[in-house]
Amino acid sequence: MPRKAATSRTAVEEPGAVETAGAMPAQNPEGKRTARKGSGSLDDLARTALKAFLIARDAAFNMRDLLTHSSRMAFLAIKECEKELDIIERYIDERLPAAITRVNEARARQLLTSLKCTTDLERIGDLMMSVAMRVQSRTAKIAASDVRQLVEMSAILREMLDLVYRGFVDLDLECARKVLQMDKDIDRVCHGLFQKHLTEHASDNPSSFDVILMAQALERAGDHTTNLAEDLYSLIEGRSLRHAPKKRAAT
């Protein structure tokens, strides 16, 4: 059954109304809300960023139903998720400059992490929507074997997003390591689909071309999720993995 996070435009635009299972933990124990109303305090921005993880995860969850049953409700849920992620990214982008001037270095790092995460999550929403649009616009069914592999990719993506969300809630570095290890699983399935349809002359076969583009979009969503894992690692360890070999980070 289609599912989406219980977020609305009102909840995002009024961050005090956002309810989540947790909040991106502050590295400063004071946690005081010094921002004026409506300007977006550190705690508001962190909670809103965490909500974005849940929304992106729900988009991946609904992808299975869309691929297997061409569910109109699943398509609408993914579309709504994409819209909410756009709102959240804009909300944090507009309020972070004022918030960051009122905090110390550790808290500023947390704010910057929130911004980087929502940027990647917004992009994941865009990629999920691009896959959904391709599925929705098709007149012929996708081959069952292709559906199975695309569903496998979306299931891996959902698990990666769930892991990285829990990692940010608990500041658990092990979650980041697992996500970095799982990236190769999405790459493997995507490569298999690409090789299969490459031999079928995808450029002359619209159906094969569609499947390749869907797989590549899901693979890129996986890449953005590894960015989130790297941001979690940076938040906990205080050093970036962006230019370090992923294989080393995942061990």
Side-chain angles (χ1 to χ4, degrees):
M1 181 179 294
R3 182 182 70 187
K4 70 178 288 295
T7 305
S8 67
R9 180 181 296 269
T10 301
V12 174
E13 291 181 347
E14 296 294 336
V18 175
E19 296 178 357
T20 82
M24 194 178 293
Q27 298 194 359
N28 184 322
E30 294 178 359
K32 295 179 180 178
R33 299 178 63 154
T34 58
R36 64 184 182 278
K37 184 177 180 180
S39 63
S41 74
L42 172 62
D43 293 337
D44 291 333
L45 294 174
R47 279 196 298 270
T48 304
L50 276 180
K51 196 65 171 177
F53 282 90
L54 298 177
I55 295 170
R57 185 189 66 182
D58 283 349
F61 175 86
N62 281 287
M63 188 58 68
R64 177 191 182 98
D65 201 32
L66 179 63
L67 287 165
T68 54
H69 303 298
S70 299
S71 166
R72 175 69 178 171
M73 291 299 294
F75 173 79
L76 293 174
I78 293 169
K79 184 177 181 180
E80 184 66 17
C81 287
E82 189 265 342
K83 181 175 71 173
E84 296 293 349
L85 288 168
D86 285 347
I87 294 171
I88 287 175
E89 198 228 0
R90 185 166 61 251
Y91 173 84
I92 292 180
D93 184 59
E94 289 173 352
R95 286 158 179 78
L96 185 136
I100 206 168
T101 62
R102 300 187 296 269
V103 296
N104 61 28
E105 181 181 347
R107 302 275 271 182
R109 185 181 301 114
Q110 184 188 356
L111 280 173
L112 289 171
T113 298
S114 294
L115 177 62
K116 288 192 289 184
C117 286
T118 52
T119 298
D120 277 306
L121 289 163
E122 187 273 338
R123 186 58 185 142
I124 290 171
D126 288 345
L127 290 164
M128 293 295 97
M129 192 61 206
S130 72
V131 176
M133 291 290 288
R134 287 194 173 277
V135 175
Q136 193 72 4
S137 64
R138 287 178 61 88
T139 56
K141 286 187 176 181
I142 305 173
S145 60
D146 292 336
V147 169
R148 283 194 298 271
Q149 289 178 286
L150 291 170
V151 166
E152 182 182 358
M153 292 181 75
S154 63
I156 295 169
L157 176 64
R158 182 190 180 279
E159 186 177 353
M160 291 168 71
L161 286 164
D162 186 60
L163 274 169
V164 78
Y165 165 75
R166 288 192 278 119
F168 273 103
V169 170
D170 300 329
L171 289 182
D172 186 350
L173 195 59
E174 185 59 27
C175 290
R177 292 196 182 102
K178 287 179 180 178
V179 169
L180 292 172
Q181 291 169 347
M182 291 172 70
D183 183 50
K184 68 179 184 297
D185 295 329
I186 283 191
D187 291 346
R188 170 183 51 78
V189 182
C190 182
H191 180 74
L193 277 168
F194 184 81
Q195 290 300 314
K196 171 189 172 183
H197 287 281
L198 189 64
T199 61
E200 297 177 3
H201 305 289
S203 60
D204 301 322
N205 186 333
S207 180
S208 288
F209 189 63
D210 263 353
V211 170
I212 287 175
L213 291 179
M214 287 185 229
Q216 288 178 331
L218 291 169
E219 181 189 35
R220 288 197 297 274
D223 291 339
H224 283 284
T225 309
T226 63
N227 289 346
L228 297 171
E230 291 167 356
D231 289 334
L232 173 58
Y233 194 99
S234 179
L235 182 65
I236 296 172
E237 293 290 304
R239 58 190 177 91
S240 175
L241 286 181
R242 287 298 171 100
H243 302 291
K246 285 186 175 63
K247 192 175 294 185
R248 185 194 312 163
T251 59

